[in-house]
């Protein structure tokens, strides 16, 4: 009853009085009848009621009240409902595979129900009775965010980060900060890859060239070292998360716009099939769905070559990463939904993600001996004796260590880690809490771009490494840090990942890596 009165007082304090009363369908009463809340039932998760009242939206613990009215749910045969809305690429394979894995692990049986418009539901059964229903409203990332804002979905499936305008609209709708802690998470990893037919003679392309092709500025293969033939351009459907990631990650940094002459596809798999059968076609699709098409290597004018691969995407060494996001409401979700989201971050789910053809987030250890391409690029980029000396210092510092496949980068013009890095901070903190590095060594190594004096770049890199270390240690609340040797290093521009001739390349080079023994 104390909770009920506190919630009511908070609503009275924060909401202007005099608002017209909506149609009422439930009344929640305290055991002694001294407090009553009447309003429209917005949701019930099996434990808490969510009610819209004349004083605003209230969340009330169901164990402390009785419910009367036509909208009251049945407590004996309650079925948890959860609606996912957004990107089809996540709904088609990835999330169904995770739901099946979750059900198997927790003693549920599943039934798939076909709905109109290509949508579907997964019903979780226990002892033959429905316990939960996960419904998928398949559309695009744009429409997924719109459904969340309209309170027509519980979770958004997004192939890109939320945009500034969408953040503002979410705040205006009372959803708070969707980029805040616990409001978003990376479910799996993917990447944008340029693909051509196996018969196409072109093997590599630079990012400026790719942007020029996608804008229509380069329209003939002879400008890329290929035959004298027109380029047939294929792109994801406009408004999809993949198309918007291409715009945000590739076109905007080069001041270019996607060509209106491109053939659009609503599925990445369809795009790849079309490209694979046309020797003069090129497209940008999902790394998880390359099919029989051949992926072009990304080359740079400074001699760097970046190939898409599972490990390169996981470490963010490949530049066109496209993480798959889930965005969550501020409200409490049903317990089975919370259990599913917890499962989706665990080790069992990472195996399911990998088997489904996507890139998991399980941390891997990468020996120094298998990083020849990175080191050769660094040697090519080293300037003078001081550059080679810094590289030698790096090799001595990493002797006997292995690199973790968790990298940390920052939002443009900000010291805040980007979305994938925020997830990596939580993951590394959990590993510390479970003792994964006990009796070992953990090195946070910072790197910078090549602009400015080398000594200052080393200082900046060291500051970044310290900031990431502090964020991880703050998140690892229960870790026994006395059992781990933790230190930070700053190597400045000693190990570049991309050319420094563009803002994008400099952004890629500003990072923090973690090395372990």
């Amino acid at each position: 009853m104390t909770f009920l009165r506190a919630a009511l007082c908070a609503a009275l304090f924060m909401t202007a009085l005099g608002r017209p009363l909506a149609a009422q369908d439930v009344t929640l009463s305290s055991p002694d009848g001294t407090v009553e809340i009447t309003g429209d039932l917005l949701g019930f998760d099996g434990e808490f009621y969510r009610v819209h009242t004349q004083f605003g939206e209230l969340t009330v613990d169901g164990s402390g009240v009785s419910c009367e009215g036509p909208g009251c749910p049945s407590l004996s045969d309650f079925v948890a409902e959860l609606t996912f809305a957004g990107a089809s690429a996540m709904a088609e394979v990835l999330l169904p595979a995770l739901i099946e894995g979750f059900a198997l692990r927790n003693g549920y049986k599943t039934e798939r129900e076909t709905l109109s418009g290509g949508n579907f539901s997964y019903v979780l059964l226990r002892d033959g009775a429905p316990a939960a229903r996960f419904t998928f409203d398949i559309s695009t990332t744009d429409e997924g965010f719109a459904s969340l804002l309209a309170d027509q979905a519980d979770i958004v499936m997004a192939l890109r980060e939320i945009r500034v305008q969408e953040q503002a609209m979410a705040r205006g709708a009372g959803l708070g900060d969707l980029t805040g802690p616990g409001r978003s998470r990376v479910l799996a990893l993917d990447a944008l890859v340029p693909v051509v037919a196996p018969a196409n003679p072109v093997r590599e392309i630079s990012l400026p060239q790719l942007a020029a092709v996608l804008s229509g500025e380069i329209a003939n293969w002879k400008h890329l070292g290929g035959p004298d033939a027109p380029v047939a351009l294929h792109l994801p459907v406009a408004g999809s998360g993949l198309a918007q990631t291409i715009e945000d990650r590739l076109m905007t940094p080069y001041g270019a716009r996607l060509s209106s002459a491109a053939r659009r596809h609503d599925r990445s798999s369809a795009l790849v099939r079309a490209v694979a059968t046309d020797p003069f076609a090129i497209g940008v699709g999902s790394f998880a769905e390359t099919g029989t098409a051949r992926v072009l290597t990304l080359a740079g004018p400074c001699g760097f070559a970046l190939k898409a691969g599972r490990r390169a995407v996981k470490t963010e060494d490949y530049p066109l990463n496209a993480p798959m996001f889930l965005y969550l409401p501020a409200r409490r979700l049903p317990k089975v939904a919370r259990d599913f989201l917890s499962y989706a971050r665990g080790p069992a789910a990472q195996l399911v993600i990998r088997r489904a053809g996507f890139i998991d987030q399980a941390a891997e250890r990468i020996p120094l001996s298998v990083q020849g391409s990175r080191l050769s690029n660094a040697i090519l980029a080293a300037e003078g004796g001081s550059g080679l000396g810094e590289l030698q210092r790096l090799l001595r510092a990493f002797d006997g260590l292995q690199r973790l496949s968790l990298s940390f980068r920052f939002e443009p013009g900000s010291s805040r880690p980007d979305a994938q890095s925020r997830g990596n901070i939580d993951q590394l903190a959990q590993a510390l809490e479970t003792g994964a590095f006990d009796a070992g060594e953990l090195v946070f190594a910072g790197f910078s771009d090549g602009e400015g004096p080398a000594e200052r770049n080393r200082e900046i890199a060291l500051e970044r490494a310290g900031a990431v270390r502090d964020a991880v240690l703050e998140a690892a609340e229960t870790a026994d840090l006395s059992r781990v040797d933790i230190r930070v290093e700053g190597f400045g521009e000693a190990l570049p990942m991309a050319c420094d001739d563009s803002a994008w390349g400099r952004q890629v080079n500003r990072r923090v890596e973690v090395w372990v023994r």
Side-chain angles (χ1 to χ4, degrees), residues 1-4 28-32 44-49 59-67 75 332:
M1 189 171 71
T2 302
F3 171 85
L4 192 60
L28 305 178
S29 305
S30 61
D32 60 5
F44 177 67
D45 65 8
E47 300 172 288
F48 284 77
Y49 295 96
T59 300
V60 181
D61 188 345
S63 65
V65 297
S66 60
C67 182
L75 302 184
R332 180 187 177 95

Side-chain angles (χ1 to χ4, degrees), residues 115-459:
L115 307 176
S116 62
N119 298 323
F120 60 89
S121 291
Y122 265 89
V123 180
L124 302 187
L125 304 167
R126 175 158 284 165
D127 298 327
R133 178 177 288 103
F134 293 174
T135 299
F136 288 86
D137 181 6
I138 302 173
S139 52
T140 64
T141 296
D142 270 1
E143 294 178 18
F145 281 118
S147 294
L148 183 66
L149 292 175
D151 201 23
Q152 296 174 349
D154 300 299
I155 297 178
V156 179
M157 303 175 290
L159 297 183
R160 58 166 174 81
E161 290 190 60
I162 187 171
R163 290 177 162 173
V164 173
Q165 182 181 10
E166 290 164 337
Q167 293 180 39
M169 293 173 64
R171 289 191 184 96
L175 296 179
D177 183 6
L178 284 177
T179 68
R183 302 300 304 280
S184 68
R185 64 181 58 180
V186 176
L187 184 65
L189 304 177
D190 200 357
L192 300 174
V193 290
V195 292
V196 296
N200 192 306
V202 174
R203 298 288 168 178
E204 62 181 30
I205 190 170
S206 70
L207 283 175
Q209 287 175 329
L210 182 58
V213 169
L214 299 184
S215 68
E217 180 183 345
I218 293 179
N220 193 295
W221 281 103
K222 66 182 180 181
H223 298 298
L224 301 172
D228 184 4
V231 174
L233 184 57
H234 297 257
L235 290 171
V237 66
S240 68
L242 281 179
Q244 292 171 334
T245 301
I246 295 171
E247 295 169 356
D248 296 345
R249 300 289 301 278
L250 180 59
M251 307 305 286
T252 300
Y254 289 102
R257 300 185 66 178
L258 293 173
S259 170
S260 60
R263 179 181 169 188
R264 298 283 188 156
H265 302 267
D266 59 358
R267 297 287 189 272
S268 185
S269 55
L271 181 152
V272 168
R273 285 194 299 271
V275 169
T277 57
D278 182 351
F280 303 123
I282 186 172
V284 177
S286 161
F287 174 75
E289 296 182 289
T290 54
T292 59
R294 179 165 50 79
V295 178
L296 294 180
T297 297
L298 296 181
C302 57
F304 285 16
L306 301 169
K307 296 181 179 180
R310 186 183 62 82
R311 184 173 285 170
V313 173
K314 182 178 284 193
T315 59
E316 295 186 76
D317 292 350
Y318 182 75
L320 297 180
N321 274 20
M324 296 178 154
F325 295 93
L326 294 180
Y327 281 88
L328 312 174
R331 63 180 180 269
R332 180 187 177 95
L333 294 174
K335 184 177 184 303
V336 66
R338 302 196 305 271
D339 290 344
F340 170 73
L341 292 173
S342 177
Y343 161 81
R345 302 184 73 171
Q350 303 312 306
L351 182 59
V352 172
I353 290 168
R354 191 166 175 176
R355 286 176 174 172
F358 298 90
I359 300 170
D360 63 276
Q361 298 179 83
E364 297 180 24
R365 299 191 181 205
I366 308 169
L368 186 63
S369 60
V370 301
Q371 300 188 58
S373 60
R374 291 214 312 161
L375 294 175
S376 63
N377 285 343
I379 293 171
L380 289 172
E383 296 182 358
S386 60
L388 291 174
E390 188 68 358
L391 189 56
Q392 290 172 342
R393 184 174 76 88
L394 178 149
L395 292 174
R396 287 193 294 269
F398 289 164
D399 184 34
L401 301 181
Q402 294 179 307
R403 182 190 177 191
L404 273 189
S405 59
L406 300 176
S407 296
F408 304 87
R409 286 187 170 83
F410 307 89
E411 295 177 346
S414 170
S415 60
R416 186 190 190 200
D418 64 22
Q420 185 171 337
S421 298
R422 293 195 294 271
N424 289 346
I425 287 172
D426 292 339
Q427 186 176 346
L428 188 55
Q430 291 173 6
L432 278 169
E433 290 178 331
T434 60
F437 307 109
D438 283 1
E441 186 178 4
L442 204 61
V443 180
F444 292 85
F447 298 89
S448 72
D449 58 43
E451 287 199 332
E455 184 58 36
R456 179 53 183 156
N457 285 340
R458 281 193 291 272
E459 293 173 358

Side-chain angles (χ1 to χ4, degrees), residues 73-121:
S74 170
L75 302 184
S76 59
D77 55 358
F78 169 74
V79 177
E81 300 278 354
L82 191 71
T83 300
F84 294 84
S88 61
M90 299 175 68
E92 289 176 338
V93 176
L94 179 57
L95 278 161
L98 287 170
I99 290 173
E100 293 283 1
F102 170 73
L104 183 64
R105 192 174 183 85
N106 291 275
Y108 294 106
K109 292 186 177 181
T110 61
E111 287 184 357
R112 178 165 171 150
E113 299 176 341
T114 300
L115 307 176
S116 62
N119 298 323
F120 60 89
S121 291

